[in-house]
């Protein structure tokens, strides 16, 4: 071996050890690898169980929302959006969906039971209120509400109308490994849950973002926006029904050209079911093979679970939906890509039966309320220049 090759190998080894990547080696060597289920369950649910419309499509999350409701037997019959380019792209994908001339046309259509929206965040709660007042249920992209004042009004109208106001927390509801983690926790696989740690980096993709993306008054702040997913997971996995924000901070540490933008935030929580830590940021490097290396760690009294949601850089396992379970007896790696996503069918069931099987309304609201409180209480971050 040439001297410079030996030096290079030593540097790589030392760098890996310093970064913590070497800690994965004994885990992978001793872990039992398996698929979480042998065969994906095919849901043969006929369309037409409900009819739904779409109003405003400013974020690409609308496509996942449509697919989820369609999997549950929903039939999309109409769409309305002001932006011709967004509308044309949407209609190209769903050519059988009628293009409505106005929002009102959808709201006043008696055949439509549900309205979906991924409009600009500051427009989502006002639209949801109008939807409920027209006797329809509502599914919105996150953040579904961006101020505490809006939150109070939404709760009031929801209570008066008894309609469903649902927020699509897709990082739990539409991630197969996270779904599997929920099943394992309910089965007692790691004992009583003590804490969740949720890390949610995102790629900023500056050139593709609209102006409203950088205006805190329009998107609500980083904890309100992408952080809402993590508050949902904290509540779900700990079983918390009452919680307090112990600490929160936000800042713009890297993008001075966007003075109304936040690129980092974190939160500490304490509740009657457990504690939680949340970190969200816009610092996914371009070298990563996906938009964010999202990780969820669930600590229990008898073990822990870690979910690698979108990628697994340390082990070499390709793609996302990887789950690691460590208990008192062994270490297990589960590939969860064959799991079935239950949200769409359950949500359509709830619309038909007036139940709360997909997510209780109180849990949906509490996750958003905690995010809004954390955002309002957040201490501004200041770094030395």
């Amino acid at each position: 071996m040439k001297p410079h090759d030996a030096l290079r190998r030593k540097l790589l080894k030392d760098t890996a050890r310093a970064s913590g990547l070497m800690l994965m080696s004994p885990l992978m060597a001793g872990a039992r690898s398996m698929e979480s289920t042998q065969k994906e369950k095919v849901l043969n649910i006929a369309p037409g169980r409900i009819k739904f419309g779409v109003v405003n499509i400013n974020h690409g999350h609308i496509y996942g929302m449509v697919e989820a409701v369609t999997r549950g037997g929903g039939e999309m019959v109409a769409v309305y959006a002001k932006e011709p380019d967004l509308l044309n792209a949407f209609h190209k994908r769903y050519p059988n969906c009628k293009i409505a001339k106005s929002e009102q046309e959808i709201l006043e259509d008696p055949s439509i039971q549900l309205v979906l929206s991924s409009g600009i965040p500051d427009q989502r709660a006002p639209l949801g209120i109008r939807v409920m007042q027209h006797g329809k249920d509502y599914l919105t992209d996150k953040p579904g509400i961006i101020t505490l004042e809006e939150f109070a009004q939404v709760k009031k109208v929801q209570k008066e109308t008894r309609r469903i106001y649902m927020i699509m927390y897709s990082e739990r509801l539409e991630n197969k490994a996270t779904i599997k983690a929920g099943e394992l926790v309910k089965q007692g696989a790691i004992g009583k849950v003590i804490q969740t740690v949720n890390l949610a980096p995102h790629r900023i993709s500056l050139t593709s973002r609209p102006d409203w993306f950088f205006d805190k008054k329009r998107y609500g702040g980083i904890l309100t926006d992408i952080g809402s997913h993590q508050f949902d997971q904290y509540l779900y996995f700990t079983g918390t029904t009452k919680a307090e924000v112990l600490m929160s901070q936000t800042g713009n540490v890297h993008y001075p050209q966007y003075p109304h933008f936040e690129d980092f935030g974190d939160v500490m929580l304490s509740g009657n079911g457990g504690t939680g830590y949340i970190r969200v940021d816009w610092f996914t490097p371009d070298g990563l093979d996906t938009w964010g290396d999202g990780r969820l760690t669930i600590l229990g009294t008898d073990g822990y679970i870690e979910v690698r949601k979108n990628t697994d850089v340390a082990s070499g396992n390709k793609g996302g939906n990887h789950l690691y379970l460590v208990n008192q007896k062994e270490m297990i790696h589960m590939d969860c890509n064959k799991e079935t996503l239950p949200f769409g069918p359950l949500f359509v069931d709830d619309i038909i039966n007036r139940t709360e099987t997909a997510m209780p309304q109180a849990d949906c609201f509490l996750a958003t309320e905690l995010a809004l409180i954390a955002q309002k209480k957040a201490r501004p971050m200041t770094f030395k220049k």
Side-chain angles (χ1 to χ4, degrees), residues 15-88:
T15 301
R17 183 180 291 112
S19 67
L21 293 180
M22 292 298 289
L23 293 176
M24 287 300 298
S25 296
L27 172 60
M28 292 311 298
R32 178 165 63 95
S33 190
M34 59 185 290
E35 291 185 327
S36 63
T37 183
Q38 293 299 309
K39 187 176 181 180
E40 184 172 1
K41 183 179 179 181
V42 178
L43 300 176
N44 294 314
I45 301 176
R49 299 182 70 211
I50 64 165
K51 292 184 178 181
F52 68 95
V54 173
V55 176
N56 299 334
I57 50 178
N58 298 88
H59 198 294
H61 286 163
I62 192 64
Y63 293 100
M65 295 163 64
V66 168
E67 294 301 320
V69 176
T70 301
R71 286 197 305 270
E75 179 185 350
M76 181 168 57
V77 296
V79 58
Y80 171 74
K82 295 178 181 178
E83 301 83 1
D85 56 334
L86 298 177
L87 185 59
N88 289 338

Side-chain angles (χ1 to χ4, degrees), residues 22-34 315 324-327 329-333:
M22 292 298 289
L23 293 176
M24 287 300 298
S25 296
L27 172 60
M28 292 311 298
R32 178 165 63 95
S33 190
M34 59 185 290
S315 72
Y324 293 92
L325 167 65
V326 181
N327 57 28
K329 296 181 179 180
E330 61 180 336
M331 302 177 292
I332 302 172
H333 162 252

Side-chain angles (χ1 to χ4, degrees), residues 53-57 78-81 102-103 106-107 115-119 127:
V54 173
V55 176
N56 299 334
I57 50 178
V79 58
Y80 171 74
S102 67
E103 169 193 309
I106 292 178
L107 295 185
V115 173
L116 276 56
S117 181
S118 70
L127 172 61

Side-chain angles (χ1 to χ4, degrees), residues 358-373:
M359 180 190 295
Q361 185 68 74
D363 291 359
C364 177
F365 279 158
L366 182 56
T368 283
E369 183 179 21
L370 288 171
L372 293 171
I373 291 171

Side-chain angles (χ1 to χ4, degrees), residues 14 21 61 67 70 99-100 102 133 165 169 173 177 202 223 246 249 259 265 267 306-307 314 326 334 346 354 377:
D14 290 346
L21 293 180
H61 286 163
E67 294 301 320
T70 301
I99 297 177
S102 67
Q133 289 173 335
Y165 191 107
Y169 300 113
L173 299 171
H202 284 59
L223 298 179
L246 300 179
Q249 59 182 348
V267 183
E306 182 178 359
V307 176
V326 181
M334 292 186 186
L346 292 176
R354 312 317 297 169
K377 290 177 61 174

Side-chain angles (χ1 to χ4, degrees), residues 102-302:
S102 67
E103 169 193 309
Q104 206 67 16
E105 182 179 333
I106 292 178
L107 295 185
E108 294 181 356
D109 185 338
S111 72
I112 292 176
Q113 297 154 270
L114 169 69
V115 173
L116 276 56
S117 181
S118 70
I120 299 172
D122 64 348
Q123 299 174 355
R124 293 174 187 171
L127 172 61
I129 288 171
R130 295 193 295 273
V131 168
M132 292 189 292
Q133 289 173 335
H134 279 79
K136 304 182 190 304
D137 296 318
Y138 185 55
L139 176 63
T140 178
D141 189 14
K142 64 80 211 163
I145 303 166
I146 68 166
T147 70
L148 286 166
E149 291 74 21
E150 280 184 350
F151 179 70
Q153 191 175 6
V154 167
K155 282 190 72 176
K156 179 176 180 292
V157 175
Q158 191 278 325
K159 185 176 181 180
E160 291 171 349
T161 62
R162 307 308 301 170
R163 308 314 304 178
I164 299 171
Y165 191 107
M166 187 57 54
I167 299 169
M168 186 59 151
Y169 300 113
S170 56
E171 287 189 26
R172 174 171 69 87
L173 299 171
E174 291 288 289
N175 182 273
K176 293 182 176 183
T178 312
I179 294 295
K180 184 62 179 180
E183 294 177 3
L184 291 169
V185 166
K186 288 181 179 179
Q187 292 166 7
I190 57 172
K192 174 178 170 50
V193 173
I194 302 168
Q195 184 199 42
T196 60
V197 175
N198 215 311
L199 309 180
H202 284 59
R203 178 173 286 130
I204 194 164
S205 303
L206 283 175
T207 58
S208 67
R209 301 294 183 175
D211 291 343
W212 60 260
F213 176 84
F214 301 100
D215 187 350
K216 185 177 175 179
K217 289 183 179 179
R218 304 221 67 188
Y219 73 87
I222 193 168
L223 298 179
T224 296
D225 182 15
I226 57 178
S228 60
H229 288 297
Q230 283 64 53
F231 288 94
D232 163 65
Q233 290 165 71
Y234 161 71
L235 295 177
Y236 180 77
F237 286 107
T238 63
T240 292
T241 57
K242 294 181 180 179
E244 177 184 4
V245 176
L246 300 179
M247 180 283 296
S248 59
Q249 59 182 348
T250 60
N252 183 346
V253 301
H254 192 60
Y255 297 99
Q257 68 271 38
Y258 302 110
H260 303 297
F261 182 63
E262 292 176 340
D263 57 22
F264 181 94
D266 65 348
V267 183
M268 290 180 64
L269 296 158
S270 179
N272 59 3
T275 69
Y277 174 74
I278 293 167
R279 190 202 81 204
V280 291
D281 66 75
W282 288 103
F283 291 115
T284 292
D286 287 342
L288 193 72
D289 60 354
T290 185
W291 56 265
D293 187 7
R295 304 186 188 186
L296 166 67
T297 300
I298 310 164
L299 175 65
T301 53
D302 296 320

